[in-house]
């Protein structure tokens, strides 16, 4: 008698991971369509996707948002991203006018990231820094909120909010949230329409661009 083994279940994380990697290629095309002469676009160099040139750098972190909201107020992905950028600014790895984009392929939002996105003046940044420290760290001797943060999340939250005001001001003034419709490829069409491309050719051009970007990146 032959005993057939039950096939192992494929990891449910694999499709999400692949989507995340392919999202970087799609976003690289978005950066290329926005780029100016003399700028270069990279994948997995300065960040997930980045544009650099004499005018400065744009660093982007990409989140798929398929299974959950990665920019929710208590999302470890949000605070880990902010922490990464805080370290880069603090250590002098970036010039002062570096721009930061947090891109989510789905239309996700959160109070913290929306408030950071809305910062346009130095005074706005100072007020928000104080508000976030009060909300997540508490004011002495009240540390109840801080104590309730899970250990991993707390590590990144404190890593961000314990940074100097000047570091956080630079980050908040230069950070923007961009969200997609859930179809990253389709979201490129408005950028293509800004070029000298006829409507009938848009889909063919988009397919070619995505394929070329994948091959060039490989």
């Amino acid at each position: 008698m032959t005993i057939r083994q039950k096939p192992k279940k494929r990891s449910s994380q694999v499709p999400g991971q692949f989507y995340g990697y392919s999202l970087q290629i799609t976003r690289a095309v978005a950066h290329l369509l926005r780029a100016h002469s003399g700028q270069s676009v990279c994948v997995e160099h300065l960040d997930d996707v980045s544009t650099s040139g004499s005018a400065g750098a744009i660093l982007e972190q990409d989140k798929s948002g398929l299974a959950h909201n990665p920019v929710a107020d208590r999302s470890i992905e949000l605070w880990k991203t902010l922490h990464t950028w805080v370290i880069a600014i603090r250590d002098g790895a970036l010039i002062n006018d570096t721009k930061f984009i947090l891109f989510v392929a789905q239309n996700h939002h959160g109070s913290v990231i929306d408030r950071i996105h809305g910062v346009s003046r130095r005074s706005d940044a100072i007020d928000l820094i104080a508000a976030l420290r009060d909300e997540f760290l508490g004011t002495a001797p009240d540390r109840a909120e801080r104590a309730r943060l899970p250990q991993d999340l707390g590590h990144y939250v404190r890593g961000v909010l314990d940074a100097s005001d000047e570091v956080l001001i630079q980050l908040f003034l230069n950070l923007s949230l961009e969200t997609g419709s859930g179809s990253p490829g389709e979201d490129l069409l408005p950028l293509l329409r800004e070029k000298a491309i006829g409507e009938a050719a848009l889909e063919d051009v988009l397919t070619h661009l995505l394929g070329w970007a994948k091959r060039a990146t490989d």
Side-chain angles (χ1 to χ4, degrees):
M1 180 177 65
T2 301
I3 300 176
R4 299 182 63 184
Q5 292 184 336
K6 184 178 180 180
K8 294 182 178 179
K9 184 178 180 180
R10 291 176 61 88
S11 170
S12 60
Q13 293 182 338
V14 173
Q17 289 173 345
F18 177 79
Y19 181 65
Y21 298 144
S22 67
L23 177 61
Q24 293 181 0
I25 304 299
T26 307
R27 289 299 297 171
V29 171
H31 278 247
L32 286 166
L33 290 170
R34 294 170 174 168
H36 302 292
S37 178
Q39 291 184 312
S40 60
V41 175
C42 302
V43 175
E44 291 288 356
H45 176 48
L46 297 175
D47 219 315
D48 288 347
V49 182
S50 58
T51 297
S52 58
S54 58
I58 302 171
L59 273 58
E60 178 175 294
Q61 283 267 325
D62 296 322
K63 310 296 181 185
S64 66
L66 277 177
H68 62 280
N69 180 1
V71 291
D73 289 354
R74 291 191 172 221
S75 166
I76 194 168
E77 291 181 71
L78 169 64
W79 289 97
K80 187 175 182 179
T81 296
L82 297 177
H83 186 244
T84 297
W85 287 335
V86 161
I87 292 173
I89 295 172
R90 185 194 64 200
D91 293 350
L94 305 172
I95 58 178
N96 290 338
D97 59 353
T98 296
K99 304 299 182 184
F100 304 91
I101 297 174
L102 182 50
F103 176 79
V104 187
Q106 318 292 321
N107 188 26
H108 288 306
H109 290 268
S111 173
V112 170
I113 191 60
D114 283 348
R115 283 185 285 169
I116 295 174
H117 175 85
V119 168
S120 59
R121 298 175 300 178
R122 184 180 176 88
S123 59
D124 297 335
I126 293 171
D127 290 344
L128 181 55
I129 291 166
L132 291 177
R133 284 173 176 160
D134 185 59
E135 290 171 26
F136 286 91
L137 303 184
T139 54
D142 177 18
R143 298 290 180 176
E145 186 70 14
R146 180 173 186 161
R148 282 199 291 268
L149 292 176
Q151 183 175 355
D152 289 347
L153 174 60
H155 167 75
Y156 292 114
V157 170
R158 289 188 292 273
V160 172
L161 298 180
D162 285 345
S164 70
D165 286 2
E166 287 304 316
V167 167
L168 292 176
I169 288 169
Q170 182 178 337
L171 177 61
F172 289 2
L173 282 173
N174 291 290
L175 193 160
S176 60
L177 172 69
E178 291 188 16
T179 61
S181 67
S183 179
E186 293 294 316
D187 290 341
L188 293 177
L189 291 176
L191 292 174
L192 285 175
R193 289 190 175 97
E194 295 175 1
K195 312 298 179 182
I197 302 170
E199 191 71 25
L202 282 177
E203 290 291 343
D204 288 341
V205 172
L206 174 60
T207 300
H208 176 81
L209 278 175
L210 290 171
W212 171 84
K214 173 64 167 60
R215 183 176 180 180
T217 303
D218 287 346

